[in-house]
């Protein structure tokens, strides 16, 4: 009976120490991350045990850059109900200590006694410090400047020395006693803190707090997903070409960086070529009107448009088509600009190897996949712009290679050439990748003087300009080169331009 009574007393004592339901503290583990171009979705798991009834779950290890509106929680049991959830940076609990408990009261009384002893110790310590300062400042008064009596001088010196030693020893003793009292106070206060209170201090900020209803006690596993900012990735290509008869060796890479406040350790990464936030509303098509404007109205409209542009508040796309003087000017006015995002599908890249990415906002280079892409090689030049010959790799049916718009480093014949850009977002059936300029191909654009000249007739002036394009191949092998040149066009009917000889070039 005594044993049972003692057990019942201890049980009641422990049960009455606190008034409120104990919160359950646990930490989430990041298992997978879907990285968008401007953010990331963190997929977490968390496991814990709950009693029957309503429990408060405090989940730590949450990113400080969380988007609270995107929190999604999945439960492994249909009988579990999530009553509420919130993210907070200032968590506090209603879990209060029962200060009327005799054991708790005894500790609190001891704390008050020790705090009182610490206060007295500080007062005594300060008084002895002042005594030492006073003794040091009055050395000349004690010894005396006119003391000729040797016995008196000896007596005063001995007094000063003994008193100085006595005060210093007292200070050492008081400091030691103060340290001991402080340690004792810390132990007493710590003894009052239960495991739950210590956890509450640890989980004070950056936590998800759940109110959860369970019909029975048991183990629960939650899946917690949310979006977080301060994460990004960008694509990057490395293109190698051994020779102009070999296919391109294209390696697709990703540069990932994050500063979410959490280190990702051994997570499964998925890179998504798109943004997490999109406008999912189809555009509303408004009427498109055509209005006629006179030349004077057109000039007023131009001044107004210029003022709007200066103030950076232009909201309409305006296109003016100028006709002959005296004729009407047609002005096209469209509705305000809109973005079409009809729930477009994004390309995603799953990475099978678990990755560690620290929260340090530094670039982490990840190789995604490598592929051989057949290409036709051809040189290209536009002498009217510059006198360089560029080697192009022409890729047919490029859409089947899942390329994305991104910068690329070029390595040709085991030598780094420079950087170019992959641009698959085009409507052509063939995509050109510039591999660099070749200094072994010389190009000149020379005017032929004896075939050029100028004539003045009665009603008009005629001018003939003739030039040759000279291309010299200084390479050992034969090359194929495409040359594009241009001639001016006239926007005035009084000026006519005619190509007399294009030497078989396509127009």
């Amino acid at each position: 009976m005594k044993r049972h009574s003692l057990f019942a007393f201890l049980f009641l004592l422990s049960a009455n120490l606190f008034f409120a339901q104990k919160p359950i503290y646990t930490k989430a583990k990041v298992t997978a991350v879907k990285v968008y171009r401007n953010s990331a979705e963190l997929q977490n798991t968390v496991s814990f045990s709950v009693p029957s009834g309503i429990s408060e779950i405090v989940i730590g290890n949450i990113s400080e850059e969380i988007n609270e509106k995107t929190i999604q929680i999945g439960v492994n049991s249909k009988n579990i109900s999530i009553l509420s959830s919130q993210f907070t940076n200032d968590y506090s609990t209603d879990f209060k200590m029962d200060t009327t408990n005799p054991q708790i009261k005894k500790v609190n009384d001891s704390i008050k006694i020790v705090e009182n002893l610490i206060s007295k110790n500080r007062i005594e310590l300060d008084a002895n410090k002042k005594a030492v300062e006073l003794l040091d400042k009055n050395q000349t008064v004690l010894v005396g400047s006119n003391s000729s009596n040797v016995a008196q001088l000896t007596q005063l010196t001995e007094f000063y020395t003994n008193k100085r030693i006595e005060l210093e020893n007292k200070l050492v003793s008081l400091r030691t006693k103060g340290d001991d009292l402080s340690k004792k106070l810390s132990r007493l206060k710590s003894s009052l803190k239960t495991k739950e209170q210590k956890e509450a201090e640890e989980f004070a900020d950056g936590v998800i707090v759940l109110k959860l209803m369970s019909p029975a006690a048991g183990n629960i596993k939650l899946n917690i997903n949310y979006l977080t900012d301060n994460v990004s990735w960008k694509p990057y290509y490395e293109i190698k070409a051994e020779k102009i008869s070999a296919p391109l060796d294209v390696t697709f890479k990703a540069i990932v960086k994050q500063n979410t406040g959490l280190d990702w350790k051994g997570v499964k990464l998925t890179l998504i070529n798109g943004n997490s936030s999109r406008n999912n509303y189809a555009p509303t098509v408004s009427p498109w009107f055509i209005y006629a404007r006179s030349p004077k109205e057109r000039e007023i409209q131009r001044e107004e448009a210029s003022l709007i542009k200066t103030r950076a508040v232009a909201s309409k796309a305006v296109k003016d088509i100028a006709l002959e003087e005296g004729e009407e000017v047609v002005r096209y006015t469209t509705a305000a600009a809109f973005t079409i995002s009809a729930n477009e599908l994004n390309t995603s890249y799953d990475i099978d190897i678990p990755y560690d990415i620290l929260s340090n906002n530094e670039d982490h280079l990840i190789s995604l996949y490598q592929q051989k892409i057949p290409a036709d090689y051809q040189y290209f030049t536009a002498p009217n712009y510059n006198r360089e010959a560029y080697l192009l790799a022409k890729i047919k049916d490029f859409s089947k290679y899942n390329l994305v718009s991104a910068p690329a480093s070029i390595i040709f014949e085991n030598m780094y050439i420079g950087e170019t850009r992959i641009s698959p977002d085009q409507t052509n059936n063939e995509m050109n990748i510039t591999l660099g300029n070749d200094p072994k191909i010389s190009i000149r654009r020379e005017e032929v003087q004896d075939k050029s000249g100028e004539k003045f007739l009665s009603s008009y002036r005629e001018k003939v300009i003739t030039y040759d394009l000279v291309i010299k191949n200084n390479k050992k092998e034969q090359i194929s080169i495409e040359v594009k040149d241009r001639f001016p066009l006239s926007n005035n009917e009084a000026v006519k331009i005619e190509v007399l000889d294009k030497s078989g070039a396509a127009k």
Side-chain angles (χ1 to χ4, degrees):
M1 288 296 296
K2 291 183 179 180
R3 188 174 302 171
H4 290 297
S5 299
L6 179 61
F7 174 79
F9 172 76
L10 292 176
F11 175 79
L12 291 173
L13 179 63
S14 61
N16 292 324
L17 286 179
F18 299 92
F19 292 119
Q21 177 76 21
K22 294 182 180 180
I24 298 172
Y25 297 89
T26 184
K27 290 186 178 182
K29 175 177 175 55
V30 182
T31 57
V33 179
K34 291 182 178 179
V35 184
Y36 294 88
R37 297 294 287 271
N38 64 339
S39 61
E41 179 185 347
L42 270 57
Q43 300 178 357
N44 305 260
T45 60
V46 58
S47 300
F48 50 90
S49 299
V50 295
S52 62
I54 298 177
S55 300
E56 181 174 283
I57 315 300
V58 183
I59 304 172
N61 202 41
I62 303 297
S63 170
E64 58 194 26
E65 299 295 331
I66 186 175
N67 184 336
E68 299 176 38
K69 296 180 180 179
T70 64
I71 297 175
Q72 301 178 54
I73 301 173
V75 191
N76 64 339
S77 174
K78 294 181 180 179
N79 297 324
I80 305 299
S81 300
I82 304 294
L83 304 180
S84 68
S85 66
Q86 72 171 101
F87 174 81
T88 178
N89 276 318
D90 188 20
Y91 174 74
S92 60
T93 179
D94 294 331
F95 187 45
K96 297 179 181 179
M97 182 180 295
D98 182 7
T99 55
T100 63
N101 181 276
Q103 291 184 347
I104 301 299
K105 187 176 183 303
K106 182 178 179 181
V107 175
N108 280 330
D109 291 342
S110 299
I111 289 175
K112 291 179 182 179
I113 293 173
V114 173
E115 287 177 340
N116 188 40
L117 291 174
I118 290 176
S119 298
K120 291 181 178 180
N121 178 267
R122 288 173 180 170
I123 293 172
E124 193 173 355
L125 187 66
D126 290 339
N128 280 269
K129 286 181 180 179
K130 295 294 184 182
V132 171
E133 292 176 4
L134 183 63
L135 186 66
D136 290 343
K137 288 179 181 179
N138 291 276
Q139 292 181 57
T140 54
V141 176
L142 291 173
V143 177
S145 55
N146 297 321
S147 297
S148 56
N149 190 322
V150 176
Q152 184 182 5
L153 180 61
T154 303
Q155 184 179 4
L156 290 173
T157 301
E158 184 178 352
F159 168 79
Y160 171 79
T161 303
N162 293 335
K163 195 63 178 176
R164 190 70 163 73
I165 292 174
E166 179 187 345
L167 290 173
E168 287 293 346
N169 288 333
K170 185 68 174 178
L171 287 174
V172 171
S173 177
L174 288 170
R175 290 191 183 102
T176 302
K177 184 179 179 181
D179 292 341
D180 292 339
L181 289 171
S182 297
K183 292 177 181 179
K184 186 175 182 179
L185 180 64
S186 178
R187 286 195 299 268
L188 287 169
K189 288 184 176 181
S190 180
S191 67
L192 287 177
K193 290 184 180 180
T194 64
K195 176 184 177 183
E196 288 78 13
Q197 287 177 304
K198 293 175 182 178
E199 287 175 332
E201 293 178 359
E202 180 184 354
F203 287 73
D205 51 67
V207 296
I208 293 177
V209 182
L210 304 179
K211 293 289 186 182
L212 183 146
M213 167 72 81
S214 176
N219 297 324
I220 294 178
K221 181 178 180 181
L222 300 181
N223 295 318
I224 302 176
N225 299 346
Y226 57 85
L227 286 177
T228 178
D229 296 324
N230 276 359
V231 185
S232 66
W233 81 277
K234 54 186 177 181
Y236 189 79
Y237 285 100
E238 183 182 79
I239 301 176
K240 294 181 180 180
E242 295 181 2
K243 50 187 177 181
I244 59 176
S245 60
L248 294 175
D249 188 355
V250 180
T251 302
F252 185 41
K253 300 183 177 183
I255 301 174
V256 182
K257 63 180 180 180
Q258 65 105 344
N259 194 24
T260 63
L262 295 179
D263 290 337
W264 304 344
K265 296 293 186 70
V267 300
K268 175 178 171 51
L269 283 178
T270 299
L271 305 180
I272 301 175
N273 188 33
N275 294 330
S276 58
S277 58
R278 293 174 291 178
N279 174 16
N280 291 317
Y281 296 97
T284 301
V285 180
S286 59
W288 184 6
F289 298 101
I290 298 177
Y291 300 97
R293 293 287 184 269
S294 66
K296 184 176 181 180
E297 290 173 326
R298 174 174 172 268
E299 183 63 29
I300 294 174
Q301 183 272 329
R302 278 185 174 178
E303 292 177 357
E304 292 176 349
S306 176
L307 181 61
I308 292 173
K309 184 177 180 180
T310 302
R311 292 178 179 177
V313 293
S315 61
K316 293 183 179 181
V318 179
K319 182 178 181 182
D320 292 322
I321 302 177
L323 304 180
E324 293 295 329
E325 185 67 19
E327 294 186 16
E328 290 184 332
V329 175
V330 179
R331 178 173 180 262
Y332 292 88
T333 305
T334 67
F338 54 81
T339 302
I340 301 176
S341 297
N343 229 358
E344 297 170 299
L345 297 178
N346 292 318
T347 304
S348 61
Y349 307 94
D350 293 327
I351 304 173
D352 296 330
I353 302 174
Y355 265 87
D356 292 351
I357 299 182
L358 302 181
S359 178
N360 54 14
N361 211 31
E362 294 184 0
D363 291 345
H364 295 76
L365 191 62
I366 299 174
S367 294
L368 298 178
Y369 62 86
Q370 186 177 10
Q371 58 182 329
K372 299 283 187 180
I373 300 180
D376 296 327
Y377 298 88
Q378 186 181 52
Y379 283 91
F380 169 82
T381 185
N384 189 250
Y385 289 93
N386 60 51
R387 310 296 193 267
E388 301 284 349
Y390 296 89
L391 179 61
L392 303 181
K394 296 179 176 290
I395 302 175
K396 298 178 181 179
D397 298 328
F398 59 88
S399 59
K400 66 182 181 182
Y401 299 111
N402 294 321
L403 300 173
V404 299
S405 181
S409 61
I410 303 297
I411 300 174
F412 186 68
E413 294 179 345
N414 296 321
M415 182 178 295
Y416 176 77
I417 303 300
E419 286 200 354
T420 186
R421 186 166 188 86
I422 304 293
S423 301
D425 46 351
Q426 54 183 283
T427 57
N428 300 328
N429 294 326
E430 186 177 74
M431 182 179 67
N432 295 334
I433 299 177
T434 304
L435 300 181
N437 61 308
D438 195 332
K440 293 184 179 180
I441 300 175
S442 303
I443 301 171
R444 298 196 308 274
R445 191 173 188 268
E446 301 173 342
E447 184 176 350
V448 182
Q449 297 293 337
D450 57 352
K451 294 184 180 181
S452 302
E454 192 171 356
K455 296 179 182 179
F456 291 90
L457 302 177
S458 58
S459 59
Y460 67 93
R461 182 177 65 173
E462 180 181 280
K463 184 175 183 179
V464 178
I465 300 175
T466 304
Y467 61 87
D468 287 339
L469 295 176
V470 181
I471 300 174
K472 182 180 180 182
N473 179 20
N474 297 313
K475 300 172 69 70
K476 296 179 180 180
E477 64 274 8
Q478 183 179 347
I479 65 168
S480 172
I481 187 169
E482 179 185 9
V483 181
K484 280 191 177 182
D485 208 8
R486 63 179 182 173
F487 60 88
L489 302 175
S490 174
N491 60 0
N492 191 333
E493 289 187 354
V495 179
K496 295 183 179 181
I497 298 174
E498 182 181 356
V499 179
L500 303 177
D501 182 12
K502 57 183 180 180
S503 301
K507 186 175 181 181

